[in-house]
Amino acid sequence: MITVNPDGKIMVRRCLVTLRPFRLFVLGIGFFTLCFLMTSLGGQFSARRLGDSPFTIRTEVPGGPESRGALRKMSDLLELMVKRMDLLARLENSSELHRTASAAHLAADRLTPGASLIERIQAIAQNVSDIAVKVDQILRHSLILHSKVSEGRRDQCEAPSDPKFPDCSGKVEWMRARWTSDPCYAFFGVDGTECSFLTYLSEVEWFCPPLPWRNQTAARTAPKSLPRVQAVFRSNLSHLLELMGSGKESLIFMKKRTRRFTAQWTKAAKYLAQKLGDTRRDQKQILVHIGFLTEESGDVFSPRVLKGGPLGEMVQWADILAALYVLGHSLRITVSLKELQSNLGVPPGRGNCPLTVPLPFDLIYTDYHGLQQMKQHMGLSFKKYRCRIRVIDTFGTEPAYNHEEYATLHGYRTNWGYWNLNPKQFMTMFPHTPDNSFMGFVSEELNETEKQLIKDGKAGNMAVVYGKEASIWKGKEKFLAILNKYMEIHGTVYYESQRPPEVPAFVKNHGLLPQPEFQQLLRKAKLFIGFGFPYEGPAPLEAIANGCIFLQSRFSPPHSSLNHEFFRGKPTSREVFSQHPYAENFIGKPHVWTVDYNNSDEFETAIKAIMNTQVDPYLPYEYTCAGMMERINAYIQHQDFCAGPSPIPPGVSTAQSPFVLAPNATHLEWAQNISSVPGAWPPTHSLRAWLAAPGRACTDACLDHGLICEPSFFPFLNSQDAFLKLQVPCDSTEWEMHHLYPAFAQPGQECYLQKEPLLFSCAGASTKYQRLCPCRDFRKGQVALCQGCL
C-alpha cells in the first residue's frame, strides 16, 4: 500500500489552484507546441535519412549524432513533464476529501511547488529553443552541401553514348515524355529528373549503363538463393484440396475429381518411387495460374459445369495439380488476377514496369488467358522470365504460328499465337503435335478383379452416346435409327424441365450424370458412340478403360482451320481425320472403330461386327497416374528453356560428323563412337534422320517408320553434312527463315537450312520440298519419352 503525505497532497492542490485555469491552458498550448516542433524537426530529419529513395544522392549530414542527442534530451524532458502532469491530475481528483485543511499551512507553502514547476517548464522551453537553432544550422549546412554535390554531378545525369546500350537515349526521351503515364514509375522513384530516369533505366530496367557514382554493390546484389530441397512423394492430398480454394463450380468439380482419384495417386507414387530409385529430384517452387477461371477472362466454364458444358479442361487441370503435388513440389494456385499480381510481385500501376522482386518461382503453369494476363502486368519481366512458363494448350501451337514476325509476314497470325516461346513450352492434352510437349490427363485404372467384374456385367446390346449437349444430336436421326435396330441407346443429355426434342423417343436419356454414375453407366455398356463432336475429349478414353468399344466418324476431307469453324483461329494447321485421332492412331481396333458415317452400309456393317467383338478394359500407360507423373517428372528435371538454343552457325563445320549412314542406306543414325551431346534431352544417341517424300510432313514421315518426330534434334541436322551423308546432291545451300527447313528442293538441287531456331517444326509440308526429319524411338505406352529418357 502506497502512503501519501497529506501535506504533499495539499501542496499539489495549491499548485494546481495557482495554475488554473489560464495557466493550465498556457501550459497545454506550450506542450502541444513542443510536440509539433519535435514532429516537424523529426520529419525534416527523416526526409534526409539515407536510403529512403533509390534515387536520392547520398550525403552524410554533419552534426547528425549531436542533433539526435539533443532531440533525445528534449524527448526525455517532455516525457517527464507528461508523467508529472498526469500525476498531478490524479492527485487533484483524490484530494477532494481534504479541502478543510489549515489555511495557514497552505499559505506558507503556496508558492514553492508552483514556482518549481514553472522553472522546469521554462528550462525546457529554453532547451527547445537552443535545439531549434542548432537544427536550423545543421539543415542549412546540409542544403549547401547537397547543392554542391548535385552541381558537381549534373554532367553525370546525361544519357551516355555507349554502343553496348544503343537504346538508352531513346528510352530517356520516352521517359521524359511519358513517365507520368503509369504510376509504377513513381513507385520506383522516378520524379521527372534526368538522374531518376537514368537510375531507373539502369537499375530497374536494363537499357542504360550503370551510373558511375551509384552504389553498384547495393544495386546489383541479388538475394541469395535458398538451398535446394529434395522433392519427396506425397500420399496425403488434403493440403492440395485446401490450396485449390472454393467458390466456383469448376473448382468444386476439380476437387471432387481429386478426392475420387486419391487412392490411385497414392498407389502411383509408391510405384514411381521404386522405379526412380535414388534419383535425386529437386523440389521446384511452382505457380499454377488457371487463367480461364478468372473473372477477368469471363470464366465461361464455371456456370456450365452443371449444365452439360465441356469438362475436359477442368479434368486436365485437376490432374496436373495432383501430379505436381504428389511429386513433392511446392505449389501456389491462383484463379484471380489479384492473386496473380500478389504472387508475382507486380508493382502498383498499369503493368509497364518490371516486377518489384526477382521471380520466386522456378516454373509457372498457365493457359493462354493467364499468359496474356502475365504479359499485361509483368512489364519487361515477362520477357526475362517467360522461359519458365508452361502453357496448357489443348489443341497445340505450331512453330509457324508461334513466331511473331514469321506469322505476321506469312499469314499465320491468329488471336492465340505469336508468343515467341520455345514450342515445347506448349503442353497438349493428347500427343498429336510433337513440336509441343504432351501433358495429358488420367483415367481410372482398374485392377484385374474389377476388370473381370466389368466383363461379367456387360450388356451385349447397350450403347451410350457421346454428347451431353442437345445440339450434338441434331441431324443424327439416321444413324440413331440404324443403331436402334441392334442396340438399346442411352444418353446423358442435360435438360432442365422438358426432354430435349433433338433426342429421339426411343433413347433412354438419364440427364446429366455425376462422374461416378456416368462411370457405372459405361461399365454396363457395350458401345460408346461419337457423332463427330466434341473433338479429342477425355470421355472416349474413360469408356475404353471401362470396357467399351468406341465408334467414331471418319472425316473426309479432314477438318482443319481452313475448312471448319471450330478450328478457325487456333494456332495450328493440323488436319483432323476423325473425332479422336489419338484413339484411332495409338489404340485402334478392336477398341476403336473409325468409319464413314456418310456411308450407311459401312456404318451398319461396323455395328454388326462390334456386336460380335469382345474386348477387355484397356488404358494406355501414359494416361494412368503413374504414367502422367513419370512424364511430368521427366519434363521438370530435364527441360530447360532458359539456356537457349545453340545451333551450328552458318558456315561453321564440325571437326567430326556425328552421323553415319544406316546399313540399308535409307537414313542417318548417331555414330556409336560419338558420345551424346552433354545436356541434350532427349539423348542424341536416339536420333534417326530421314529425308521425307515430297509433300510429307516430318510428323507423318517418322510415324511411317514407327518413330516420333523430335524437334529438339533439328539443330544437329541443320547442316550441309547431314545432306552429304544422305547422299543428297546440293548444288547450292541457303540459310533462310522458313518453318519447313531444313529441306531439299527439286528441281534445282537446292538445299535449305534453317536460320531461326524457333521455326524448327515437325508440322508442315509442301510438294516443293523433301524435308530433313529428325526422329526418335519411344517407350511402349509413353510416346513422350524415348527409351533412354528416364
Side-chain angles (χ1 to χ4, degrees):
M1 185 82 178
I2 299 176
T3 60
V4 180
N5 191 316
D7 295 341
K9 293 182 181 179
I10 295 171
M11 182 173 60
V12 168
R13 182 178 179 276
R14 273 299 163 189
C15 174
L16 293 172
V17 169
T18 304
L19 294 174
R20 294 192 305 190
F22 177 72
R23 293 184 182 182
L24 280 176
F25 173 75
V26 172
L27 180 61
I29 292 296
F31 171 70
F32 285 110
T33 302
L34 295 179
C35 291
F36 177 76
L37 175 61
M38 183 178 178
T39 303
S40 301
L41 293 176
Q44 293 187 56
F45 273 104
S46 65
R48 296 276 165 193
R49 281 184 308 211
L50 303 182
D52 274 4
S53 167
F55 307 115
T56 302
I57 296 178
R58 291 170 179 159
T59 57
E60 294 295 339
V61 179
E66 182 182 359
S67 62
R68 285 192 294 270
L71 286 174
R72 277 199 301 271
K73 184 177 179 181
M74 182 180 73
S75 177
D76 293 340
L77 288 171
L78 288 173
E79 185 179 357
L80 177 62
M81 185 181 72
V82 170
K83 289 181 179 178
R84 290 198 176 189
M85 293 301 296
D86 182 61
L87 177 62
L88 289 173
R90 283 189 281 109
L91 287 175
E92 181 186 21
N93 293 334
S94 64
S95 63
E96 293 298 323
L97 297 178
H98 302 279
R99 290 183 182 275
T100 58
S102 171
H105 187 77
L106 289 172
D109 297 324
R110 176 181 294 179
L111 298 177
T112 305
S116 174
L117 183 60
I118 291 174
E119 289 172 2
R120 181 63 63 89
I121 293 174
Q122 289 174 340
I124 293 173
Q126 184 62 43
N127 246 334
V128 170
S129 178
D130 294 341
I131 292 171
V133 172
K134 191 168 295 186
V135 169
D136 182 65
Q137 293 173 349
I138 291 171
L139 294 179
R140 287 176 182 275
H141 185 83
S142 173
L143 288 172
I144 293 171
L145 178 63
H146 179 81
S147 176
K148 290 181 179 179
V149 171
S150 299
E151 185 177 349
R153 288 176 175 167
R154 189 172 299 161
D155 60 337
Q156 299 184 45
C157 288
E158 296 178 0
S161 298
D162 190 333
K164 295 180 181 178
F165 298 89
D167 299 324
C168 182
S169 59
K171 288 293 180 179
V172 171
E173 287 293 331
W174 189 95
M175 290 291 288
R176 288 194 192 109
R178 301 291 303 278
W179 75 272
T180 58
S181 63
D182 194 323
C184 71
Y185 297 116
F187 173 82
F188 281 109
V190 177
D191 57 11
T193 63
E194 295 293 298
C195 283
S196 69
F197 295 154
L198 288 171
T199 306
Y200 174 85
L201 291 171
S202 62
E203 295 181 12
V204 180
E205 296 185 4
W206 44 88
F207 292 106
C208 294
L211 299 176
W213 47 267
R214 291 284 294 172
N215 185 344
Q216 300 304 321
T217 303
R220 294 183 178 182
T221 301
K224 293 182 178 179
S225 58
L226 298 175
R228 284 292 183 185
V229 178
Q230 187 166 357
V232 179
F233 285 100
R234 297 187 179 105
S235 57
N236 188 338
L237 274 64
S238 58
H239 182 56
L240 171 63
L241 297 175
E242 294 176 5
L243 291 174
M244 292 170 72
S246 58
K248 293 176 177 284
E249 288 296 337
S250 50
L251 293 175
I252 294 172
F253 171 84
M254 291 164 62
K255 291 172 73 171
K256 286 181 178 179
R257 177 178 175 85
T258 301
R259 287 192 191 96
R260 188 161 60 89
F261 278 81
T262 295
Q264 300 215 12
W265 287 115
T266 301
K267 179 182 176 182
K270 294 178 181 178
Y271 166 79
L272 201 57
Q274 294 177 348
K275 187 173 184 178
L276 296 178
D278 297 330
T279 303
R280 179 178 175 82
R281 299 183 303 111
D282 289 336
Q283 185 187 67
K284 303 293 185 181
Q285 300 295 319
I286 298 176
L287 173 66
V288 180
H289 177 62
I290 310 177
F292 76 89
L293 292 184
T294 62
E295 297 299 329
E296 291 76 11
S297 69
D299 189 13
V300 297
F301 287 91
S302 294
R304 300 178 63 194
V305 169
L306 301 179
K307 297 182 178 181
L311 301 176
E313 285 82 1
M314 282 166 277
V315 165
Q316 187 179 32
W317 274 110
D319 296 345
I320 290 170
L321 291 173
L324 292 172
Y325 185 80
V326 174
L327 283 169
H329 299 293
S330 177
L331 299 187
R332 293 277 185 90
I333 304 171
T334 61
V335 291
S336 75
L337 184 58
K338 185 177 180 180
E339 291 175 321
L340 175 67
Q341 293 173 321
S342 175
N343 280 282
L344 292 178
V346 175
R350 299 185 178 92
N352 290 305
C353 297
L355 302 180
T356 58
V357 294
L359 187 69
F361 302 103
D362 300 301
L363 293 170
I364 299 176
Y365 288 85
T366 189
D367 52 27
Y368 264 120
H369 295 284
L371 193 63
Q372 184 65 45
Q373 291 168 352
M374 283 187 279
K375 183 179 181 181
Q376 290 175 348
H377 295 278
M378 289 177 67
L380 286 176
S381 294
F382 179 79
K383 184 176 181 180
K384 180 179 181 180
Y385 294 121
R386 64 184 176 184
C387 60
R388 303 188 191 183
I389 297 174
R390 306 294 183 264
V391 184
I392 307 305
D393 176 17
T394 302
F395 295 99
T397 298
E398 293 177 1
Y401 295 83
N402 170 62
H403 193 282
E404 184 175 14
E405 179 186 354
Y406 186 82
T408 303
L409 292 175
H410 295 84
Y412 292 102
R413 191 179 179 100
T414 70
N415 292 333
W416 301 105
Y418 61 86
W419 288 97
N420 288 332
L421 301 179
N422 186 307
K424 281 287 186 181
Q425 290 177 251
F426 297 99
M427 313 191 100
T428 60
M429 183 171 280
F430 291 95
H432 45 57
T433 307
D435 294 308
N436 305 149
S437 298
F438 163 44
M439 172 59 76
F441 59 94
V442 302
S443 288
E444 189 171 2
E445 188 177 8
L446 306 175
N447 58 39
E448 294 303 320
T449 302
E450 291 171 324
K451 290 180 181 179
Q452 189 59 49
L453 287 174
I454 288 175
K455 290 176 65 177
D456 295 341
K458 282 288 181 185
N461 64 339
M462 177 178 170
V464 175
V465 175
Y466 181 18
K468 297 173 291 183
E469 296 185 75
S471 59
I472 296 175
W473 294 65
K474 189 175 182 179
K476 306 300 189 299
E477 295 83 0
K478 183 178 179 180
F479 311 135
L480 290 170
I482 296 174
L483 181 61
N484 188 49
K485 292 194 301 184
Y486 301 94
M487 291 189 172
E488 178 182 282
I489 305 174
H490 293 249
T492 57
V493 183
Y494 168 78
Y495 66 95
E496 292 183 355
S497 57
Q498 296 182 345
R499 181 185 177 92
E502 295 86 350
V503 180
F506 54 77
V507 174
K508 183 178 181 180
N509 185 31
H510 299 264
L512 190 64
L513 295 177
Q515 282 295 300
E517 295 181 28
F518 180 64
Q519 296 288 326
Q520 291 300 319
L521 188 66
L522 292 177
R523 292 186 176 191
K524 296 178 182 178
K526 170 81 173 181
L527 176 67
F528 189 61
I529 180 170
F531 286 151
F533 188 84
Y535 299 99
E536 299 180 308
L541 262 66
E542 294 176 347
I544 295 168
N546 282 288
C548 294
I549 293 174
F550 178 52
L551 176 64
Q552 64 171 344
S553 173
R554 181 186 300 115
F555 300 147
S556 182
H559 294 181
S560 72
S561 58
L562 300 177
N563 63 8
H564 203 276
E565 187 61 32
F566 178 83
F567 290 102
R568 190 164 289 120
K570 290 181 170 56
T572 175
S573 299
R574 183 168 63 100
E575 294 182 325
V576 177
F577 289 85
S578 63
Q579 181 176 353
H580 207 290
Y582 175 86
E584 178 186 8
N585 298 323
F586 288 89
I587 300 178
K589 288 184 178 181
H591 300 279
V592 180
W593 294 61
T594 306
V595 301
D596 182 4
Y597 280 23
N598 293 321
N599 187 328
S600 299
D601 293 337
E602 183 179 352
F603 179 80
E604 188 167 4
T605 301
I607 296 296
K608 293 178 180 178
I610 289 170
M611 293 286 292
N612 297 317
T613 302
Q614 300 296 322
V615 296
D616 294 332
Y618 173 72
L619 179 64
Y621 173 71
E622 55 200 353
Y623 283 97
T624 65
C625 293
M628 184 174 185
M629 283 200 298
E630 179 183 79
R631 184 168 60 253
I632 293 179
N633 177 68
Y635 292 155
I636 291 175
Q637 301 303 322
H638 296 290
Q639 284 184 338
D640 181 6
F641 304 118
C642 297
S646 55
I648 302 173
V652 177
S653 59
T654 56
Q656 182 180 7
S657 173
F659 306 114
V660 295
L661 191 63
N664 58 6
T666 59
H667 64 280
L668 297 182
E669 297 178 351
W670 194 266
Q672 294 183 357
N673 61 337
I674 302 293
S675 58
S676 287
V677 176
W681 192 85
T684 51
H685 60 71
S686 63
L687 187 155
R688 305 287 185 272
W690 266 268
L691 194 66
R696 197 76 170 150
C698 286
T699 302
D700 301 321
C702 292
L703 284 175
D704 291 341
H705 299 285
L707 300 171
I708 297 295
C709 180
E710 180 49 62
S712 64
F713 289 159
F714 269 117
F716 305 111
L717 288 179
N718 195 42
S719 67
Q720 294 177 338
D721 176 68
F723 286 107
L724 291 174
K725 284 294 173 64
L726 279 170
Q727 302 175 357
V728 175
C730 297
D731 289 347
S732 65
T733 303
E734 300 289 340
W735 290 78
E736 295 183 11
M737 190 169 69
H738 198 291
H739 73 288
L740 299 182
Y741 296 166
F744 174 69
Q746 287 182 324
Q749 309 293 309
E750 295 175 305
C751 292
Y752 294 95
L753 300 178
Q754 181 61 260
K755 187 178 180 180
E756 171 52 67
L758 289 180
L759 284 175
F760 285 128
S761 175
C762 292
S766 170
T767 55
K768 179 181 176 181
Y769 299 112
Q770 287 185 266
R771 299 194 59 193
L772 185 57
C773 300
C775 309
R776 63 162 171 83
D777 55 24
F778 59 91
R779 302 173 70 86
K780 184 179 180 181
Q782 187 72 288
V783 70
L785 303 180
C786 67
Q787 295 287 349
C789 280
L790 290 181

